[in-house]
Structure formats: C-alpha cells, structure tokens
Amino acid sequence: MADRATEDFLTHRNLLFTVAYELLGSAADAEDVLQETWLRWAGVDLDQVRDHRAYLVRITTRQALTRLRTLGRRKESYVGSWLPEPLLTAPDVADDVALADSVSMAMLLVLETLAPTERAVFVLREVFDVGYDEIADTVEKSPATVRQIAHRARAHVAARRPRRTVSPAETRDALDAFRRAVETGDLRSLLAVLAADVVLVGDGGGVKQAIPRPVTGADKVARLVTGGWGRVAAVASMEPTEVNGCPALVVRLDGELDTVVAVRLGDGRITGLYAVRNPAKLSHMTRETTLSRRATMPR
C-alpha cells in the first residue's frame, strides 16, 4: 500500500506543486504544503478513495489555504513591497498558454488581491478546470455559493489583468529593448519602451536594498533604473531567461545572481517592472522547476 501511495503522489506531484504555488506565490511554502499533503495522503485508505487526483488536490488546496491565511499575517510585517517568488522554468511551460498566464508574476499579483477562498475557487476552476461540486467539497461551501464566488473572482481578475494575452515574442522584444537602453544609458530609448504609467516594484525583503514602495511614471522609473545601473555597470551583467513561463531578465553582480526582473506588457510597452532581490526568494532560480496542469508518470 505504501508503494501505491508513493506512486500516486509522485504521479501528481508536479500538478500539486503548481496548485500550491498558484495559491501561495511562494515556492518554499508550496514545498512545505506538499510535505504536509504527503503525510496526510500516506495515512489514507486508498481503497476508499474513488478519484486519487481529486483527493490529492483537495488535501493540497486545504493545506495551502491554511498557510495562505498565515502568510497574509506575515506579509503585514514584511519589509518593503512583497513580490511572488520567481521560478526558473523550462521553455515548454510557455507552450501551455493558460498555465504560463496563470503563473506569470503579473497574474500572481492580481491573485494576491483576492480573498483566500476566492483565490482557491478561481485557481481550481479557471486554471485546473475542477468541477464546482469538487471545489465545494474542498472549500466546504455549497456548490451554489462556489458558483457565486467564482463569478465574483472572475470579474475581479478580469478588471485587473491585461486586456489581451501577450505573446512570449512580444515580451522578449520589449525586454531586449529595455536591456539595450539600460546598458547603454539611452534614456530616450528607455522611455520609448515604458508605458507612461509604468510601475516599478522592488522586493529586497529587508535584506537587500530595494525601493521601499512602488514608483510610478515613465520618467521617474527610467531615471531610477539608469541611475542604479550606472552605479554597478562595471561589475554587472543582464541576461535573458525564462521565469514563471515568461521571458524575463536576471542581473548578476560579479557573476552572482542578484536580481530577477519580470515585466507586464500592455499595448507593446512595459506597464509593470517587478525586481526581486530578496535572496530567500531566489533559491529556485538555480534549477528549473516543472509546472504542470496534468499528472505526469514518475520516472
């Protein structure tokens, strides 16, 4: 029975991690949730479980919701702005457009504006296509209530997400233009790629220096970015990468990973710049993380 439980858990592990990560925005906390899920799953009588995938997703979601409420209290005392933990992802994540959109830095920040139960309902329904009855069992609400929550959450997200899906090629082009302008100190070219109301958010976690609060406006952001780069240019490099299923940039100082920069695009220009410097949030940038909406057989 233990071998069967292990095989089932490993088959669904990437899926479960993706569920937990989308609910929490933290890979470290998602890993902890998976440990808790395994401990509970190992004690289940599998002969009494009709749908192993659904049962595992239910355990994971409930554990993630408990942790999400704790995280909410922790974020209240977080130093500076809080950003989701970036993940180095394989290029094939971008092939699943819905998955890549759902784990993008911009979408995770939108999900942060939902209440915990709303976030769980939205993620399970819109990303993983879980039925309303199953979601109702998971969040311990009636199916009718879950439908209302789902409707409210969809409207909330729709009002805050980009009006259209941006292709990886568009994002890559904008990042290339951004990188060239910053490296050459070309303020005019940088202003050309930034939206007038662009927002720059930095997360140093109180450990690394970062802007204490978001900065808005193309001129302010451009001067801040070029000024900061000018101070470190002699020892810095900026390289393209794939973060959370989307093109992004990594900044290295003296060859060491220092910052991950993700962006949000609108009408061909950068509307959001998200710079993660907190070292505790960069540990998943050393190896690719597999994200999936489906079960995968263990190797």
Side-chain angles (χ1 to χ4, degrees), residues 161-192:
R161 75 192 307 175
R163 290 189 296 273
R164 67 179 182 85
T165 300
V166 178
S167 72
E170 288 178 279
T171 303
R172 201 170 287 114
D173 288 345
L175 280 169
D176 285 345
F178 173 84
R179 178 172 56 83
R180 287 195 301 271
V182 172
E183 289 178 337
T184 59
D186 187 342
L187 195 60
R188 181 176 296 180
S189 294
L190 184 55
L191 287 170

Side-chain angles (χ1 to χ4, degrees), residues 99-112:
L99 175 61
D101 175 65
S102 71
V103 297
S104 68
M105 191 72 73
M107 177 55 76
L108 290 176
L109 285 171
V110 172
L111 294 179
E112 282 292 313

Side-chain angles (χ1 to χ4, degrees), residues 144-166:
T145 298
V146 165
R147 287 177 182 273
Q148 292 175 349
I149 294 172
H151 176 76
R152 186 167 64 244
R154 276 195 298 270
H156 181 98
V157 170
R160 290 162 177 80
R161 75 192 307 175
R163 290 189 296 273
R164 67 179 182 85
T165 300
V166 178

Side-chain angles (χ1 to χ4, degrees), residues 103-279:
V103 297
S104 68
M105 191 72 73
M107 177 55 76
L108 290 176
L109 285 171
V110 172
L111 294 179
E112 282 292 313
T113 64
L114 293 172
T117 299
E118 288 179 326
R119 185 167 182 169
V121 170
F122 180 86
V123 167
L124 291 177
R125 182 61 188 168
E126 300 301 313
V127 182
F128 297 96
D129 197 30
V130 178
Y132 287 112
D133 289 346
E134 178 60 31
I135 297 174
D137 287 340
T138 300
V139 300
E140 299 179 310
K141 305 281 185 183
S142 70
T145 298
V146 165
R147 287 177 182 273
Q148 292 175 349
I149 294 172
H151 176 76
R152 186 167 64 244
R154 276 195 298 270
H156 181 98
V157 170
R160 290 162 177 80
R161 75 192 307 175
R163 290 189 296 273
R164 67 179 182 85
T165 300
V166 178
S167 72
E170 288 178 279
T171 303
R172 201 170 287 114
D173 288 345
L175 280 169
D176 285 345
F178 173 84
R179 178 172 56 83
R180 287 195 301 271
V182 172
E183 289 178 337
T184 59
D186 187 342
L187 195 60
R188 181 176 296 180
S189 294
L190 184 55
L191 287 170
V193 77
L194 298 177
D197 58 351
V198 62
V199 178
L200 169 63
V201 184
D203 180 347
V207 180
K208 286 288 190 73
Q209 183 178 5
I211 54 174
R213 58 188 63 85
V215 174
T216 303
D219 188 66
K220 288 182 180 178
V221 170
R223 293 184 185 281
L224 184 63
V225 171
T226 53
W229 183 261
R231 288 191 292 273
V232 300
V235 296
S237 65
M238 203 181 310
E239 308 160 3
T241 188
E242 292 280 334
V243 170
N244 291 46
C246 304
L249 296 170
V250 292
V251 176
R252 299 184 187 278
L253 298 183
D254 289 321
E256 297 295 325
L257 176 63
D258 180 81
T259 308
V260 171
V261 180
V263 297
R264 170 176 169 157
L265 249 61
D267 297 324
R269 293 192 171 191
I270 295 173
T271 60
L273 275 165
Y274 311 110
V276 182
R277 298 197 70 207
N278 184 351

